[in-house]
Amino acid sequence: MLRIAIQSKGRLNEESLLLLQNIGIEVDAPKRKLLSKSQTFPIEALYLRDDDIPQVVAGGTATLGIVGLNEIEERKADVDILYRLGFGTCRLSLAVPKGEDYSGPSWFSGRRIATSYPNILRKYLEEKKIDARVEVITGSVEIAPAVGIADTIFDIVSSGSTLVANGLKEVETVFESEAVLIANKSRGVQEQAVIDDLLFRIESETVSRGKKYLLMNLPKSALEEAIKIIPAMRSPTVMPLASPDWCSLHSVVDAADLWIKVRQLKAIGAEGILVMDVDKIIL
Ligand code: PRT
Ligand code: ZN
């Protein structure tokens, strides 16, 4: 039974559990239990604070974990990063009071910077040869300048609205983060086989994210043009119709491009276009 460490509550909890569910791995939510065995896959979830996940996986108490890349980087955790999961995306940025006339990284020389990520910040300051004072605080970093603990901050930013609400502006992005699947460095053959199966499922899940399945009727004369519009993974599926001058064309497109593609296909004569959600794509 492989153990996977998951954040017990917080920003990554729900999406971590949803990912497992979408790949056929049901585990109980962390209501009362710290550990929950899956009935559908040889894995058990260990629910923890995200701060503890890197060390728990590095030390082998759990073989796998789902945590922000920012935590791995900050704690210099000795783990393998197996997969970037594409959720929990955020960045670690330097922000200054919005009225400041910011001139570039040297602006930080001699200033006090509040952060919960001192290691990532110090590395950046060293690289840029900036001599600043790092004030380590846990939580509510964004209020530090207003209460006089520091002049500026280095913190996680997602939409940027917390910075705006606290009269700050983002001036340097230092580190881009997202949730990652991590693993202990020493894994047995059996463990690796389970991990390979898990990765195969995760890949199918993430590849299908944001994809739509399109099918339509098309005059055969427009087929070549249509294939240029929707190239598909290998090439689109073309099926005959009872009417000899028409065919049915099937393909997968990015949801973001859907409306542009549909307009282009209509313009070359496509009819009866059906758009469907894609559950899984197995490459
Ligand atoms: O209780 P536990 O220790 O497990 O959780 P936590 O409170 O330490 O972490 P949590 O749940 O807040 O975040 C877990 C992980 O989610 C982080 O380590 C990041 O990898 C990722 N993540 C993604 C974020 C954000 N987006 C985010 N916006 N983590 C924190 N924030 C905070 C940020 O600190 C700031 O206060 O949200 C605020 C900014 O958000 P915007 O949207 O206003 O810019
Ligand atoms: Zn935490």
Side-chain angles (χ1 to χ4, degrees), residues 49-51 71:
R49 288 198 59 184
D50 70 340
D51 312 52
E71 292 296 325

Side-chain angles (χ1 to χ4, degrees), residues 10 14 26 28 56 58 61 78 99 125 132 141 154 182 250:
E14 221 170 89
E26 297 282 348
D28 288 336
V56 158
T61 305
D78 194 19
L125 294 173
V141 171
F154 175 64
I182 57 168
H250 301 214

Side-chain angles (χ1 to χ4, degrees), residues 7 10-11 49-51 68 70 88 90 142 156 158-162:
Q7 192 188 24
R11 286 165 198 270
R49 288 198 59 184
D50 70 340
D51 312 52
N70 50 309
C90 58
E142 60 278 353
I156 294 179
S158 169
S159 66
S161 55
T162 304

Side-chain angles (χ1 to χ4, degrees), residues 15-279:
E15 293 220 55
S16 302
L17 291 177
L18 187 65
L19 170 69
L20 293 182
Q21 195 184 32
N22 285 343
I23 59 173
I25 302 174
E26 297 282 348
V27 284
D28 288 336
K31 294 259 163 49
R32 266 157 277 126
K33 285 192 289 179
L34 190 69
L35 272 173
S36 170
K37 277 194 178 64
S38 170
Q39 303 300 320
T40 54
F41 197 79
I43 213 166
E44 67 179 355
L46 169 65
Y47 295 111
L48 297 172
R49 288 198 59 184
D50 70 340
D51 312 52
D52 298 330
I53 292 175
Q55 292 320 319
V56 158
V57 174
T61 305
T63 308
L64 296 171
I66 297 179
V67 71
L69 191 57
N70 50 309
E71 292 296 325
I72 304 297
E73 180 76 6
E74 177 61 25
R75 288 159 209 278
K76 301 185 173 90
D78 194 19
V79 294
D80 286 333
I81 293 164
L82 299 185
Y83 206 86
R84 289 179 166 254
L85 297 168
F87 60 85
T89 48
C90 58
R91 53 201 186 271
L92 275 162
S93 292
L94 281 157
V96 304
K98 70 168 187 277
E100 288 290 339
D101 191 10
Y102 181 74
S103 50
S106 61
W107 183 93
F108 290 97
S109 291
R111 314 254 183 180
R112 294 168 306 158
I113 312 171
T115 189
S116 312
Y117 292 90
N119 290 326
I120 298 176
L121 176 58
R122 286 199 183 103
K123 189 171 159 214
Y124 172 81
L125 294 173
E126 261 166 44
E127 275 167 19
K128 297 276 174 192
K129 300 191 172 36
I130 299 165
D131 188 17
R133 218 165 88 197
V134 177
E135 304 284 354
V136 183
I137 57 173
T138 52
S140 305
V141 171
E142 60 278 353
I143 62 162
V147 297
I149 297 171
D151 306 308
T152 80
I153 69 161
F154 175 64
D155 199 11
I156 294 179
V157 183
S158 169
S159 66
S161 55
T162 304
L163 292 183
V164 173
N166 286 281
L168 298 163
K169 63 178 176 187
E170 186 177 2
V171 291
E172 302 289 342
T173 300
V174 173
F175 188 79
E176 306 267 3
S177 184
E178 67 188 280
V180 287
L181 178 72
I182 57 168
N184 180 271
K185 289 213 148 169
S186 54
R187 309 186 290 268
V189 177
Q190 267 184 337
E191 281 182 322
Q192 190 57 49
V194 177
I195 291 171
D196 287 345
D197 189 6
L198 188 72
L199 282 171
F200 174 76
R201 296 185 188 200
I202 290 176
E203 190 161 50
S204 309
E205 172 62 24
T206 46
V207 167
S208 63
R209 220 178 269 162
K211 293 280 196 288
K212 295 284 179 189
Y213 189 80
L214 269 185
L215 59 143
M216 71 210 73
N217 294 335
L218 193 76
K220 276 189 181 156
S221 57
L223 191 55
E224 217 171 290
E225 200 57 32
I227 291 171
K228 283 189 206 140
I229 299 169
I230 42 170
M233 279 172 286
R234 200 177 290 271
S235 74
T237 306
V238 182
M239 314 250 268
L241 288 180
S243 163
D245 298 336
W246 284 73
C247 61
S248 165
L249 182 68
H250 301 214
S251 190
V252 173
V253 299
D254 284 332
D257 300 336
L258 179 71
W259 291 106
I260 297 170
K261 304 270 184 201
V262 163
R263 287 302 293 248
Q264 291 172 338
L265 291 162
K266 281 291 290 174
I268 61 165
E271 285 181 4
I273 302 175
L274 277 184
V275 181
M276 292 186 283
D277 289 336
V278 174
D279 189 27

